[in-house]
Amino acid sequence: MQKWEYLFVVCESLFGIWRPRYFNDKEIRDWKDAPEMSIYSNELGEKGWELVNVVWSFSDYPLST
């Protein structure tokens, strides 16, 4: 049976630019300086990751802070 590995990235818009903020539920240090999602997505693709879904949400994340 083939095993799969999953990666979850939560993004946030900062001044109209989408950047990754959470990587598998851990906040990215200095996320405000992270590359734009278009660049970040290509970097992940070069590492072998494949985008399978995008979900838009307008709720606050994380809910507990």
Side-chain angles (χ1 to χ4, degrees):
M1 176 182 235
Q2 185 169 2
K3 287 184 94 173
W4 297 94
E5 186 175 357
Y6 297 92
L7 172 68
F8 296 90
V9 179
V10 177
C11 310
E12 187 165 319
S13 177
L14 183 66
F15 305 113
I17 299 172
W18 288 93
R19 300 183 188 280
R21 182 163 182 183
Y22 296 92
F23 186 91
N24 284 343
D25 287 333
K26 294 180 182 161
E27 188 168 31
I28 298 170
R29 183 183 305 210
D30 300 325
W31 70 271
K32 293 177 182 179
D33 298 323
E36 295 181 30
M37 273 313 298
S38 58
I39 295 168
Y40 190 70
S41 297
N42 287 325
E43 290 173 357
L44 290 174
E46 289 175 7
K47 295 178 181 178
W49 290 101
E50 180 179 339
L51 178 65
V52 295
N53 197 9
V54 175
V55 177
W56 290 91
S57 175
F58 296 98
S59 63
D60 292 331
Y61 186 90
L63 299 175
S64 62
T65 57

